[in-house]
Amino acid sequence: MAGVNAVLNENVEYMNDVSVGFDVVIVCTSNEFQADFWQTRLEGGRGTVMTANSVVLAVDEDWSDGGAGNALGTFYAYQKACRKAASFGHPADLLTSASSVAIYHTAGKGTRLAPLPGAENNNKPGVKLPALVNIGGELRPLTILESVIKQTGVYGPCRKGRLSVFWGDQVFIPSISPTYEPAHHADILVALGDMVSKQEWEDKGYDKYGLIAVNTSNQAAQVEKVSYDTATRLLASFGDIKSVGTSLGSFSVTKELLDVFLEGFSEELSTKTGKLDSDPHLWMPLSVGENEYVELMGQKDVGAEESRAHYKRVQKMMSSFDMGEKGLFGAVDVGGSACWWDYGQLKWYQKYCLRLRDSDDEAQLMRKFYDIPLGTQASSVGASVDTMSCVSKCNIASGCITGSVLMDVDAECVEADGAILVGVSAGGKVVAPKGAIVYNVTAPGDLILTEKDVQVGVFNTKGAMKLMRSASDVDGGKAWKKVVSGNEESFETIYKANLTTDVSLVETASRAKHDEIRVERKKKSLILGLPPLVVAGAAVALGAAILFAVMKDGERALSDGVSGNDAGKAPWGQSLLAVARGGTSKLSEMKNRRRDGVAKAAPVSATRQHQGSSLRSNTRIELPK
């Protein structure tokens, strides 16, 4: 185990090396607004989550209803990125023998992560983790996508001339070296282990996953969610199976194979129609026999005629393909002890965020990867923080924080126990007990949660926030269309309302709202933090200044022949004028003289009138800073 831990730590150090990564980073998003957001965000993150020289190309999948699927979606995103690169002055063909290109798929509703994606206005990969990243010289909360780009960059140096494809919501740390010599035109990441018995197959739950089997010739075959008996029967002609494992789904292809697919699926790509996924529509027809393929697809309720037609189509594409010295389809092992942190569900988001506070080897590895210490980091905290909490970029005056993870929290007082707080601004107290999650929420006063409460803020472009609630044990996928936890709308309604939202504008507006709450709290804290005598003195001085202004204006008003009623219309109001008149003998005497006709109104120049107005508007007390 010590050897495995050493390899895991070496791999994390490699991932933290900012000189390591892909030459081209392509992000495929759901709409143009998200593409614009990630283009700007990731360009600002060069030299932190990717190399300083990486080319960033964010594109949107403007496909027909239902999406392209991750196979056609990959090919379409690559073509669209090539066109965008040309518009930036880069070569139109991004993939050469000297370059490595990675695509990150981020599209999807994120139903099972709800309500967090709603707080990012459907920008699911923008969900923030309790870690920091330097964006344009400013420390900001790290997003899920940025953590994935940072982690997967270790495959860049050994994949020159290949297009790599990753999913934007899972981080994995291989327990073997990520550096390898690609031996196949297509390969897929797998947690491989020795071929197992029927009982072990069932114990490991292999019948619930997409599986990759590898024979003694190191060729791979893809099967999905099948029993041990079915798998061995379907793969009988495949040869002796030496290893098997669950697929991570991420794959890479050579430029030669990519060109075959681009040509073979050109009709769908040009018309933006159809939906094809990599596992059932690429790797399975490339790695198993026709009859076996038809049977496997039948388990997906796909008819035999359709399956046979697709199988023959793929085989025809490959009929004239020259594989050279490489095999067709292989597996890239990530090791049987690899760490896999999947943030695609709310319960997993909570699980892996809270893992940061633990003391075991994996938790230490996680803190090393995210560069998060136990205790406080880049924070000003007057609250007590135990040794099992992580508090980063926080400004908290008082409270008690135990077994919790906080990122970018600004509040007068925080009482958190076993909770997660990310992007929270409160003018008063925040109470977050066990299982609570608070995300992107502003509150001018107190923010009180109960156990397992989930509260997120959904902002619009004007900076107005709608509070959405859930519970940490609610599956957003199952509750997607339901109204839960006292909300006025379902998660689906929020999703639909944000389909055309400019996420960049919302981010600017929401940050301004957070800043507003924080500045106001700071002002109050400055006043409350002054010694009592200073506060009392300031109050007396303020009162004296107001009284002085009233007296001077009252004198001018009376000497100018302004009636008492008209004078009372001044900004300082009738009540202050009455107090001033009743409390000063001079004004009383002037009032009597005016009533007796002794005093006559004297003309006042326009300049003097302006000076008097200026005096009133500029009279104020500067409190100590």
Side-chain angles (χ1 to χ4, degrees):
M1 191 62 185
V4 171
N5 286 335
V7 174
L8 288 168
N9 277 276
E10 287 175 3
N11 288 341
V12 166
E13 290 173 4
Y14 194 28
M15 293 168 187
N16 287 337
D17 185 346
V18 297
S19 68
V20 175
F22 285 93
D23 300 308
V24 180
V25 172
I26 300 171
V27 178
C28 183
T29 70
S30 296
N31 59 50
E32 190 173 0
F33 287 126
Q34 291 180 17
D36 290 343
F37 172 88
W38 285 112
Q39 186 70 43
T40 301
R41 171 87 179 195
L42 293 178
E43 284 179 346
R46 288 196 187 104
T48 56
V49 298
M50 67 185 76
T51 75
N53 297 319
S54 295
V55 175
V56 176
L57 298 165
V59 297
D60 63 306
E61 187 182 288
D62 54 337
W63 203 262
S64 56
D65 291 343
N70 59 48
L72 289 179
T74 293
F75 307 143
Y76 183 69
Y78 176 76
Q79 289 183 327
K80 197 167 186 179
C82 286
R83 293 193 293 270
K84 186 170 185 176
S87 71
F88 286 172
H90 298 293
D93 196 351
L94 292 169
L95 190 58
T96 68
S97 60
S99 64
S100 60
V101 181
I103 289 180
Y104 297 86
H105 284 294
T106 69
K109 298 176 181 178
T111 59
R112 304 192 72 180
L113 187 56
L116 298 189
E120 296 295 340
N121 305 93
N122 299 350
N123 190 15
K124 181 182 67 171
V127 170
K128 299 172 179 64
L129 300 175
L132 290 171
V133 63
N134 189 318
I135 301 294
E138 179 186 0
L139 288 178
R140 305 274 291 277
L142 181 76
T143 64
I144 295 176
L145 176 59
E146 287 164 331
S147 67
V148 173
I149 292 174
K150 171 185 173 181
Q151 174 262 306
T152 54
V154 293
Y155 290 101
C158 63
R159 288 184 173 178
K160 299 294 184 180
R162 298 181 77 92
L163 172 67
S164 299
V165 179
F166 302 100
W167 319 130
D169 58 4
Q170 54 183 267
V171 175
F172 60 92
I173 312 297
S175 57
I176 62 176
S177 173
T179 300
Y180 72 105
E181 183 67 33
H184 299 82
H185 284 280
D187 58 28
I188 191 165
L189 294 177
V190 189
L192 282 175
D194 293 337
M195 182 57 181
V196 297
S197 66
K198 181 176 181 179
Q199 186 60 52
E200 290 174 314
W201 187 285
E202 294 173 355
D203 292 343
K204 291 178 179 290
Y206 280 170
D207 58 325
K208 300 179 178 64
Y209 298 100
L211 294 178
I212 300 295
V214 179
N215 64 19
T216 53
S217 299
N218 288 324
Q219 300 301 311
Q222 167 101 43
V223 294
E224 283 196 342
K225 300 179 181 179
V226 294
S227 67
Y228 175 86
D229 291 336
T230 301
T232 53
R233 177 172 54 81
L234 292 176
L235 297 174
S237 61
F238 185 58
D240 293 334
I241 300 175
K242 70 173 184 178
S243 56
V244 66
T246 54
S247 169
L248 275 66
S250 299
F251 63 89
S252 76
V253 295
T254 60
K255 174 174 172 51
E256 293 81 8
L257 184 56
L258 174 63
D259 288 341
V260 168
F261 288 147
L262 293 177
E263 175 63 27
F265 296 111
S266 59
E267 182 178 349
E268 287 92 341
L269 295 172
S270 62
T271 58
K272 294 189 283 189
T273 56
K275 182 176 183 179
L276 298 176
D277 289 313
S278 56
D279 287 352
H281 298 114
L282 296 181
W283 316 139
M284 285 169 57
L286 285 177
S287 63
V288 300
E290 181 177 342
N291 291 333
E292 289 79 8
Y293 179 70
V294 170
E295 182 176 341
L296 286 168
M297 294 301 288
Q299 296 180 354
K300 296 175 172 290
D301 297 324
V302 179
E305 183 177 352
E306 180 181 344
S307 297
R308 290 189 188 280
H310 181 76
Y311 184 89
K312 292 177 179 178
R313 181 186 184 189
V314 173
Q315 290 298 316
K316 184 177 180 180
M317 292 181 196
M318 302 302 300
S319 61
S320 59
F321 180 62
D322 182 6
M323 293 197 298
E325 297 181 356
K326 285 184 169 61
L328 180 56
F329 184 54
V332 178
D333 191 9
V334 299
S337 299
C339 297
W340 192 353
W341 308 325
D342 192 332
Y343 296 96
Q345 297 186 32
L346 182 63
K347 65 179 181 181
W348 293 344
Y349 177 89
Q350 182 183 46
K351 173 184 177 180
Y352 292 119
C353 284
L354 290 179
R355 285 288 279 131
L356 288 165
R357 62 189 183 169
D358 295 337
S359 58
D360 61 278
D361 290 339
E362 184 179 8
Q364 294 179 42
L365 188 75
M366 185 180 285
R367 288 195 294 273
K368 183 175 184 177
F369 174 77
Y370 288 118
D371 192 22
I372 301 175
L374 285 170
T376 61
Q377 175 191 44
S379 298
S380 175
V381 178
S384 63
V385 180
D386 73 349
T387 57
M388 298 298 291
S389 294
C390 297
V391 178
S392 300
K393 200 191 176 187
C394 292
N395 191 347
I396 303 167
S398 63
C400 180
I401 300 168
T402 57
S404 298
V405 178
L406 281 69
M407 164 60 66
D408 192 27
V409 177
D410 189 291
E412 190 62 27
C413 175
V414 172
E415 295 178 1
D417 178 21
I420 299 170
L421 284 75
V422 177
V424 180
S425 302
K429 176 190 289 188
V430 178
V431 177
K434 281 181 171 41
I437 300 174
V438 193
Y439 185 96
N440 194 34
V441 174
T442 60
D446 296 340
L447 187 59
I448 312 298
L449 287 81
T450 57
E451 287 192 5
K452 297 184 179 180
D453 269 1
V454 176
Q455 294 190 12
V456 307
V458 182
F459 287 82
N460 63 19
T461 55
K462 304 294 185 181
M465 187 195 78
K466 176 178 292 185
L467 191 67
M468 288 294 290
R469 297 178 174 86
S470 187
S472 55
D473 56 0
V474 169
D475 185 329
K478 296 178 180 178
W480 184 247
K481 297 178 181 292
K482 301 177 182 178
V483 177
V484 300
S485 303
N487 293 320
E488 296 179 354
E489 300 169 303
S490 67
F491 300 143
E492 182 184 48
T493 301
I494 294 296
Y495 169 79
K496 290 180 177 179
N498 280 300
L499 284 174
T500 57
T501 298
D502 188 331
V503 293
S504 298
L505 289 180
V506 171
E507 185 190 46
T508 300
S510 64
R511 291 188 71 190
K513 188 63 178 179
H514 279 278
D515 289 343
E516 178 184 319
I517 296 291
R518 296 178 182 196
V519 169
E520 187 61 28
R521 187 186 74 79
K522 185 176 181 180
K523 289 179 180 178
K524 292 179 181 178
S525 297
L526 286 173
I527 295 174
L528 295 175
L530 293 173
L533 288 178
V534 174
V535 176
V540 170
L542 179 61
I546 293 174
L547 183 60
F548 177 75
V550 168
M551 292 171 60
K552 295 296 290 182
D553 286 347
E555 179 179 356
R556 290 192 182 99
L558 292 174
S559 63
D560 292 347
V562 180
S563 70
N565 289 334
D566 289 337
K569 295 177 183 177
W572 26 266
Q574 291 178 324
S575 58
L576 287 177
L577 183 56
V579 171
R581 283 176 172 171
T584 59
S585 59
K586 182 175 181 180
L587 282 181
S588 297
E589 179 182 352
M590 290 179 64
K591 180 173 65 176
N592 293 334
R593 289 174 60 199
R594 180 179 179 278
R595 183 183 58 206
D596 295 338
V598 176
K600 302 295 183 182
V604 181
S605 68
T607 301
R608 182 180 171 187
Q609 288 178 343
H610 173 75
Q611 289 173 339
S613 174
S614 176
L615 174 65
R616 289 193 297 274
S617 63
N618 291 327
T619 300
R620 64 185 185 278
I621 298 295
E622 292 288 347
L623 296 177
K625 296 183 178 178

